[in-house]
Amino acid sequence: MAKLEDIKVDAKVKGIIPNAIVTILNTKWYGQDSIEVVYKDDSGNTTSELLMRDKEHELNVINQTKRWPFDADGIAFKLVSEAFRIKESYLFDPMLAVHSSLIDPLPHQITAVYDIMLKRQPLRFLLADDPGAGKTIMTGLLIKELQARGSLKRCLIVCPGMLAEQWQDELSSKFQLQFDILTNEKDKTSKTGNWLSENDLIIGRLDKLSRDENIQQKLKATNFDLVVCDEAHKMSASRYGNDVKETKRYKLGKLLSAQANHFLLLTATPHNGKEEEFQLFMALLDGDRFEGSYRDGPHVEDARDLMRRMVKEKLVKFDGKPLFPERLANTVTYELSEIEATLYNRVTDYVREQFNLADKLENDGRKGTVGFALTTLQRRLASSPEAIYQSLKRRKERFENRLKGEKLLKSSVNGKLNVKLSNDNELSLIKQYDTDFLDDIDDVTEDELNQAEDTLVDKATTAQTIAELEAEITILARLEKLALETKLSNKDKKWEELSKLLQEDKHMVNADGHREKLVIFTEHRDTLNYLQSKISNLIGRNDAVVVIHGGMGREDRRSKQEVFKYNKDTSVLIATDAAGEGINLQRAHLMINYDLPWNPNRLEQRFGRIHRIGQTEVCHLWNLVAENTRESEVFLRLLKKIEMESKALGGAIFDVLGKTIAGTELRKLLIEAIRYGNDEKTRNYLYQEIDKAFDTNH
């Protein structure tokens, strides 16, 4: 406290104005209890004010004789000094994020962050290490280090919907980074109308951002220090001649690239087998460098300086020992029973004939959807008698209902069935599955795939007249009857082979006689339910088996995962590809592909659920394939080439698998086999295509 008499010209006084020190320029007394002062503030502004005695307790004259009086607020000084210490801490601890996070990083993770990514300013990079190498860990380290250096305040992570909560949980538990997930409710209740600009650490679902034009407009008005795109291969584009077809996800990638200072793409499958599409993908990182038409040969742009890809076989621990144990794949073949072979041939004949009819359809959007429906039928045929029976039954019943409706509403003219469905809602259901959707079918969620399959298998038909629809219903009725007979015959050779594996293979039981943990992948929900019942009966306990599929909620899926991992009485997990991404199952080291995926990259995604960091046992995989079927002509050749290449590459086959044969190409070969596989020339062509795919990459 100061007396009014202490306030003199040139004095430094605190308390006249809040939180500031002023310099006194002039004073004038009015009696003994008031003084008018003219003062100058730090900005150089001059002001006058009348001070009374009752103001004295707020005033303080700064003693100018002490250069460092050390009379500041101690708590405030401590906070400021601590803030500066933290800001500059990376200069003294070059791995600050490692030491302030709940992780034990591995050599390849440290080199990715500290030797490669942090040295790039700005960062435009593709991290493409094998599945299970810990790309989430590397991303968390990068974010914390950029924060420590003052280079990051705002960050957006874009990932498939099913992985959003997992990203949120791992960044919170391991790095104490609190990210919020964008939802429709948050977007609608935003204070400013743009929730993205109100929050600094955000997770957005890939399909939400790519399909919502309103959100995209808000993204354009928002900048980020870092944008991370997980499963970035889903942001794909393709080239037809000189034209580039950009998917909605690819357009989102271009938008995000423009709004980010640092841009990081994450994927374990960067290459889909087509160099021109890979270069379009890399254009998301450097549009100028990868601009223009793709040119083959020596003109191919080398992208190695913009990416890192490490395969599991090359990853090591700090002591130099391999990080991952060996992984071994086996092909198990079996012969269809007589009744199964009859069903297979008749359904395949139906599919082939319908494909031929679809080729003759006018391009009104139905040709692609009919083809998709037929392909789905064929895949369910190969999956199990239960799956094909249920599919044929539903398809026949839907067509019967439609026939009744057409007749009731008299929607035919001169016997010609109206091209449009009687029910406009059904028409819109089919129309939503346009060419873009079908081209990107490998990248949709399992829920979306199941919806598409159920909708199109039950509705898409080549019939254009009532007579044609009636004829198709007659065929379906015969096939349904045969499928039911096959199902009731109990002559399911595929199940018998699985049962034999479960009971006789030495790897299924440990030294104490207890069952080892086993993951079984199937493509279809009907087959999953079928296997759950059969395996539970075989083992003798319902609690021995748990299932995970795309129709389950996040918490239910996580609960089943925890039961499988930690309940000693639960030895078998049956899963669809909903468990192919984002679920860690290294508690098990055995896996069976009951159904083979039509995308070769899914082979590694599945195997990567058990063959990942933390796995200590040799991992075994069995692929079940029926001999003497159209599909087996392709699959057995492919698996044989994989086995040969795996030996030559020391197990690192999955590094080249995505480059050798893309999912779309494999699907094309399988459809060719189904339609024309009884022709010797076609069979030789299929073999040559698979052999050529591998041979040209080595």
Side-chain angles (χ1 to χ4, degrees):
M1 187 181 77
K3 296 286 187 180
L4 293 182
E5 286 78 7
D6 298 330
I7 301 176
K8 299 178 181 179
V9 175
D10 294 330
K12 305 291 185 182
V13 180
K14 182 179 180 181
I16 295 179
I17 58 177
N19 303 318
I21 297 174
V22 301
T23 302
I24 304 300
L25 301 178
N26 196 12
T27 63
K28 183 177 181 181
W29 283 89
Y30 292 94
Q32 296 181 350
D33 297 320
S34 61
I35 183 175
E36 182 181 13
V37 297
V38 179
Y39 62 85
K40 180 173 65 175
D41 61 22
D42 289 340
S43 301
N45 299 317
T46 302
T47 312
S48 64
E49 185 169 341
L50 186 65
L51 303 178
M52 311 297 291
R53 288 286 179 191
D54 59 2
K55 180 84 170 177
E56 286 181 335
H57 69 282
E58 299 178 11
L59 302 176
N60 188 14
V61 176
I62 306 300
N63 188 346
Q64 296 298 306
T65 60
K66 295 182 180 180
R67 187 175 182 184
W68 303 104
F70 295 101
D71 56 356
D73 186 319
I75 295 177
F77 175 78
K78 184 176 180 180
L79 287 174
V80 171
S81 61
E82 181 68 5
F84 273 103
R85 187 189 70 82
I86 293 173
K87 181 180 179 182
E88 305 298 330
S89 59
Y90 72 93
L91 297 174
F92 303 92
D93 184 355
M95 293 187 182
L96 177 66
V98 171
H99 302 136
S100 61
S101 304
L102 300 176
I103 60 169
D104 293 316
L106 292 156
H108 70 278
Q109 296 169 343
I110 291 174
T111 56
V113 176
Y114 294 95
D115 291 349
I116 299 175
M117 291 194 287
L118 280 175
K119 293 180 179 180
R120 295 168 181 261
Q121 295 291 330
L123 175 69
R124 320 290 288 184
F125 198 69
L126 167 63
L127 186 58
D129 291 352
D130 258 357
K135 289 186 281 294
T136 306
I137 298 295
M138 292 180 257
T139 302
L141 286 174
L142 176 67
I143 292 172
K144 289 201 75 169
E145 287 293 351
L146 289 175
Q147 282 185 330
R149 288 157 168 74
S151 298
L152 186 150
K153 180 183 179 184
R154 293 177 44 74
C155 178
L156 169 65
I157 295 175
V158 180
C159 62
M162 65 183 294
L163 302 181
E165 287 83 5
Q166 181 176 327
W167 268 98
Q168 185 183 46
D169 291 346
E170 291 205 22
L171 290 174
S172 174
S173 61
K174 292 181 172 65
F175 300 98
Q176 298 79 52
L177 295 168
Q178 306 307 319
F179 276 75
D180 286 329
I181 299 175
L182 171 63
T183 63
N184 289 332
E185 182 180 358
K186 290 176 181 176
D187 180 45
K188 291 177 181 177
T189 58
S190 162
K191 295 178 182 179
T192 64
N194 188 349
W195 186 86
L196 295 169
S197 65
E198 297 172 10
N199 297 271
D200 291 334
L201 302 178
I202 300 169
I203 296 173
R205 293 179 168 87
L206 173 61
D207 285 330
K208 168 68 176 174
L209 300 184
S210 64
R211 297 174 185 175
D212 192 325
E213 295 182 0
N214 178 50
I215 291 293
Q216 290 168 23
Q217 291 302 315
K218 294 175 181 178
L219 279 171
K220 291 178 181 178
T222 310
N223 292 313
F224 292 94
D225 300 309
L226 170 66
V227 171
V228 180
C229 297
D230 191 19
E231 300 296 329
H233 61 273
K234 296 179 185 290
M235 295 176 169
S236 60
S238 53
R239 190 182 296 279
Y240 298 92
N242 292 324
D243 297 327
V244 174
K245 179 185 176 184
E246 298 181 349
T247 63
K248 292 179 179 178
R249 293 170 181 158
Y250 187 81
K251 292 176 181 177
L252 172 66
K254 292 174 66 176
L255 170 59
L256 294 173
S257 180
Q259 302 304 115
N261 181 33
H262 303 295
F263 192 48
L264 176 62
L265 303 179
L266 307 176
T267 177
T269 53
H271 210 298
N272 71 351
K274 296 182 179 179
E275 182 63 29
E276 62 270 31
E277 294 185 8
F278 175 67
Q279 293 200 34
L280 285 170
F281 176 58
M282 295 304 294
L284 293 176
L285 296 175
D286 192 337
D288 294 333
R289 176 172 164 184
F290 294 91
E291 182 67 28
S293 299
Y294 161 75
R295 293 180 295 172
D296 205 349
H299 304 290
V300 171
E301 184 67 43
D302 187 352
R304 284 178 294 180
D305 60 317
L306 286 177
M307 65 178 289
R308 188 188 83 162
R309 173 153 180 79
M310 294 192 70
V311 297
K312 290 177 176 177
E313 285 69 22
K314 294 183 179 179
L315 301 181
V316 296
K317 303 175 185 177
F318 283 105
D319 60 6
K321 295 180 180 178
L323 176 61
F324 289 92
E326 188 179 7
R327 48 180 169 177
L328 302 172
N330 304 280
T331 301
V332 179
T333 60
Y334 60 93
E335 290 277 358
L336 295 176
S337 65
E338 185 177 347
I339 191 171
E340 285 180 307
T342 301
L343 175 64
Y344 178 85
N345 290 329
R346 291 186 183 177
V347 172
T348 302
D349 287 344
Y350 166 71
V351 168
R352 186 179 66 251
E353 290 165 5
Q354 291 296 309
F355 259 118
N356 293 337
L357 290 173
D359 285 343
K360 299 175 183 178
L361 288 175
E362 295 179 5
N363 191 16
D364 61 353
R366 288 200 301 149
K367 184 175 179 179
T369 54
V370 168
F372 177 79
L374 296 171
T375 301
T376 302
L377 272 180
Q378 190 74 26
R379 294 174 74 169
R380 292 180 178 179
L381 171 65
S383 181
S384 68
E386 179 70 23
I388 188 58
Y389 167 68
Q390 295 295 345
S391 298
L392 290 169
K393 180 183 177 182
R394 287 191 293 261
R395 183 172 173 85
K396 187 204 71 172
E397 289 175 350
R398 289 296 183 97
F399 284 6
E400 287 175 337
N401 291 335
R402 180 181 175 186
L403 181 62
K404 290 177 183 178
E406 294 289 347
K407 288 181 175 179
L408 182 64
L409 296 173
K410 298 180 180 180
S411 59
S412 62
V413 180
N414 297 325
K416 187 78 173 178
L417 186 67
N418 193 335
V419 173
K420 291 185 177 181
L421 295 173
S422 301
N423 188 323
D424 289 338
N425 290 331
E426 290 188 355
L427 176 63
S428 64
L429 279 174
I430 286 185
K431 289 294 185 182
Q432 70 178 305
Y433 299 113
D434 55 14
T435 303
D436 282 348
F437 180 89
L438 297 177
D439 286 346
D440 297 334
I441 200 66
D442 286 327
D443 295 331
V444 302
T445 65
E446 186 180 317
D447 273 345
E448 291 176 315
L449 179 61
N450 286 335
Q451 255 187 349
E453 288 182 345
D454 291 342
T455 298
L456 298 179
V457 170
D458 295 348
K459 294 181 174 65
T461 177
T462 60
Q464 298 185 78
T465 67
I466 288 179
E468 289 175 355
L469 188 58
E470 289 175 329
E472 187 169 356
I473 290 171
T474 301
I475 296 172
L476 288 170
R478 289 199 296 264
L479 294 176
E480 179 197 356
K481 180 181 178 183
L482 180 57
L484 180 59
E485 292 174 0
T486 305
K487 172 186 170 184
L488 297 176
S489 72
N490 290 322
K491 293 181 179 179
D492 182 352
K493 291 296 184 180
K494 191 177 186 180
W495 158 248
E496 290 178 12
E497 201 62 45
L498 175 60
S499 176
K500 184 178 176 182
L501 271 175
L502 294 175
Q503 296 181 80
E504 299 179 10
D505 193 281
K506 63 181 181 180
H507 298 98
M508 297 294 168
V509 180
N510 63 23
D512 297 327
H514 295 107
R515 282 197 167 274
E516 296 280 13
K517 300 283 185 179
L518 168 69
V519 181
I520 300 175
F521 273 101
T522 178
E523 293 265 289
H524 308 290
R525 196 84 55 84
D526 290 326
T527 301
L528 179 143
N529 296 331
Y530 171 72
L531 290 178
Q532 182 181 18
S533 174
K534 299 284 279 187
I535 296 174
S536 296
N537 290 335
L538 177 68
I539 296 177
R541 295 192 328 274
N542 289 333
D543 64 347
V545 182
V546 292
V547 299
I548 293 178
H549 56 75
M552 299 169 64
R554 172 180 174 244
E555 291 304 321
D556 194 14
R557 198 179 306 178
R558 176 183 290 177
S559 172
K560 298 297 183 185
Q561 178 186 348
E562 296 303 303
V563 168
F564 174 68
K565 289 167 67 174
Y566 301 114
N567 188 335
K568 63 181 178 61
D569 295 324
T570 302
S571 56
V572 180
L573 167 65
I574 309 172
T576 59
D577 279 308
E581 293 181 352
I583 292 182
N584 304 329
L585 301 171
Q586 58 267 54
R587 179 70 174 80
H589 65 277
L590 307 177
M591 179 175 290
I592 295 174
N593 278 324
Y594 196 76
D595 300 328
L596 283 173
W598 282 29
N599 184 336
N601 282 325
R602 287 193 184 270
L603 287 170
E604 167 61 352
Q605 288 176 346
R606 291 178 178 183
F607 212 172
R609 293 306 100 205
I610 64 171
H611 194 250
R612 58 193 306 108
I613 292 175
Q615 181 60 262
T616 58
E617 304 291 333
V618 174
C619 293
H620 294 271
L621 169 67
W622 292 268
N623 296 308
L624 300 183
V625 184
E627 289 186 314
N628 300 323
T629 64
R630 305 291 175 82
E631 298 93 319
S632 70
E633 299 285 349
V634 174
F635 276 128
L636 289 176
R637 190 75 170 194
L638 177 64
L639 292 171
K640 182 179 180 181
K641 292 296 293 186
I642 289 175
E643 183 180 352
M644 293 170 59
E645 294 291 326
S646 181
K647 292 177 180 177
L649 295 169
I653 178 60
F654 293 106
D655 183 40
V656 299
L657 185 55
K659 295 181 182 180
T660 56
I661 184 165
T664 52
E665 291 173 346
L666 178 58
R667 186 181 295 108
K668 179 182 176 182
L669 293 178
L670 287 164
I671 292 174
E672 289 283 310
I674 292 164
R675 297 185 65 179
Y676 313 112
N678 57 351
D679 178 65
E680 188 68 26
K681 289 184 178 179
T682 299
R683 190 178 296 114
N684 291 333
Y685 161 76
L686 297 174
Y687 290 164
Q688 290 170 7
E689 286 298 301
I690 294 173
D691 293 347
K692 183 173 66 175
F694 280 88
D695 293 342
T696 55
N697 284 273
H698 294 88

